[in-house]
Amino acid sequence: MSPHYLRYQRLTFLLAISFLFGACNALMTEDLDGVQLKTSIALPMGETQYTIENLLDQMDDELAIEEKEIGGKKVLQFAYEQDLATVDLGDIVSVPNQSFPANGFQDIEITPVDIPVPIDLTLPLQVGLDESWDMDFGGNKLDEARFKSGVITIELASTVPVRLDADFDLPSLKTGTSETPFSRHISLEPFGTQIIRMPLAGNKFLFTDENIGVRNQLQFSFSNFVLNFTSNTTVQAGSALRFRINVANVVPDVFLGRFAKREISLDNQSIDIDVFDNELLGNVFFADPTLSLIVDNGIGLYMAADIRSITGISSNGTFTEMDGTFFNEDNPHEILRPSTKGQQVETVISLNKSNSNLPDFLSKMPKRLMFDAKFLTGTGEDDNLPQEFIDSNTTLGMKARAELPLDLALAGFTYTNTAEAEDFDEEDAENIEEALLKITTSNKIPIGMKLQINFLDAQKKQVATLFDENTDNTIIKAAQTGSDGFVTEATKQEARIYMGRELIDKLPDVKHYEIVLTIETGGSDPVKFEKSNTIDIQLAVQAKFKVNEDI
């Protein structure tokens, strides 16, 4: 093989690398297919076709890209979704430990009785008690309450000098699958004590059956008292059966009734918009974005969401607050509720260009959106509304979803990347007179591209630029679009990039390329991107070499 052939091939290859690395990287392409190197002056370097999805993937392979129908056609969009707050039974209902009476014991006084002679006598007494206790369920007024755990304890103490028998009933407490009212026969020795414990798991309080009818009211009774005399004994005035009822360690399972009005704050809730998580410079305007708050609700309470503010944080740390009629504290957004236990109901609360300044807000390119919000729950004691319910097996979940259809306008949107350059020594530079890179495109994507390549030395200081300030550096022109923003026709262009003697002499000092790609949509009106949008690219390099006997 001739030394002339090898020398030409080396110079051409190095020159092609110098141009093509910048051009291809700036175009965000991968290695081109069909590369051929020849010893001729004009060298076709290859051709390829890219879809808009290919280009977006090259920008960021983690972008969430979907399709959305607009105007009867499918437009690409960025979509982001993030789980936010969850609300469960424990956020709405808590049952404190409590006792009746709150302090000490309640006394049932026994009528004085004097038996003058020792006899074995059982004497029925007409003594009894019917009482009720308004229990505390965290401010909620319940018709029915079931529990996962907890215990109700009845403490009994007698100050009577004879054995005392009686019946104790809690008609509000239904036990077992048959829901039998709780009942116990008690028998206390003289001055004796007794403790009755009843687990609440699997049992329930029913406060509003036909025999009761008052929410939260735990009814109980002592009846059928019997004093058993076996000797000469006097029951003096002040003798009593003392009792106390305790409820402790309650974990709710299912509660039905009326729930107190309360606010549940949603702190530190956010969604990231990854497409803005960069340092790109320029302006972007999404014509019709939406930001949705999606509530999946299994809690049967009347609820509303009060979204007080949404703040955006850009990559440079700038804070921007969204505004619009959406943020109206006097009119919170109603959340649909299930009609039966076990049902989940979805509510979508949307921000868009009609109720907020969302398009202008997103033009600030916030990489993170922060929510300041709260849930409003409960109706108080409004009996004109259906019964509310909540149970331990269901929750309310909230997530945010941002949809950014590629129906947009771009201006001065700049992408910058720096990479190492191929070695290009002085001998190589001396043997090149001039060079030309030709880029031929047929573009059906509604964006155009301007290219600048800055040549940097080892300290990354600028040595030269590919284009001077007086040269048009548009390498791809945007496709033609109709009044609706959809592409109507491909734009064809041949761009020529010239490298003269002055620049070639500086190449040996070049150790890095800084590629600056500016992307624009060609006007202020938004354009739409379809999955079928493509661009065809052909690249060729032409060079003039010095020929001498040393080659």
Side-chain angles (χ1 to χ4, degrees), residues 56 93 126 136 145 176 179 220 245 282-283 321 331 350 357 387 476 481 505-506:
L56 293 173
V93 175
Q126 300 303 313
D136 181 3
E179 299 188 355
F220 53 89
I245 304 174
N283 299 310
E321 188 164 327
N331 187 26
S350 292
N357 68 334
Q387 185 185 62
I476 299 174
T481 58
D505 286 341
K506 296 178 180 179

Side-chain angles (χ1 to χ4, degrees), residues 34 88 97-98 102 118-119 160 173 176 194 251 276 303 306 349 386 396 426 456 486 550:
D88 58 24
N97 293 344
Q98 52 198 293
I119 59 172
V160 180
L173 178 60
Q194 185 177 351
V251 177
F276 295 143
M303 305 184 74
D306 182 8
I349 303 170
L396 178 149
E426 292 182 3
L456 311 177
F486 287 101
D550 294 332

Side-chain angles (χ1 to χ4, degrees), residues 60-187:
D60 186 343
D61 59 8
E62 295 184 358
L63 287 177
I65 304 172
E66 300 178 351
E67 287 186 293
K68 182 176 184 178
E69 187 167 316
I70 298 178
K73 297 181 179 180
K74 291 185 176 181
V75 176
L76 294 176
Q77 70 173 10
F78 298 132
Y80 300 95
E81 199 167 284
Q82 178 69 47
D83 289 332
L84 302 179
T86 59
V87 176
D88 58 24
L89 186 149
D91 296 312
I92 298 174
V93 175
S94 62
V95 181
N97 293 344
Q98 52 198 293
S99 299
F100 178 86
N103 298 299
F105 284 79
Q106 178 89 355
D107 288 349
I108 304 175
E109 291 192 7
I110 305 299
T111 304
V113 175
D114 184 14
I115 303 297
V117 294
I119 59 172
D120 186 2
L121 177 65
T122 300
L123 178 65
L125 299 179
Q126 300 303 313
V127 177
L129 175 73
D130 288 300
E131 283 277 4
S132 61
W133 168 28
D134 288 330
M135 298 183 66
D136 181 3
F137 290 98
N140 304 301
K141 300 296 184 180
L142 301 186
D143 301 319
E144 182 178 327
R146 296 179 183 270
F147 309 95
K148 298 185 73 173
S149 63
V151 63
I152 184 168
T153 303
I154 301 96
E155 298 181 60
L156 302 166
S158 173
T159 62
V160 180
V162 297
R163 196 181 81 216
L164 185 151
D165 287 87
D167 293 326
F168 174 72
D169 297 286
L170 279 172
S172 304
L173 178 60
K174 310 297 183 180
T175 62
T177 56
S178 61
E179 299 188 355
T180 303
F182 179 82
S183 180
R184 286 289 186 275
H185 179 77
I186 61 176
S187 184

Side-chain angles (χ1 to χ4, degrees), residues 298-312:
I299 299 174
L301 271 63
Y302 286 89
M303 305 184 74
D306 182 8
I307 315 299
R308 288 165 286 182
S309 67
I310 298 176
T311 303

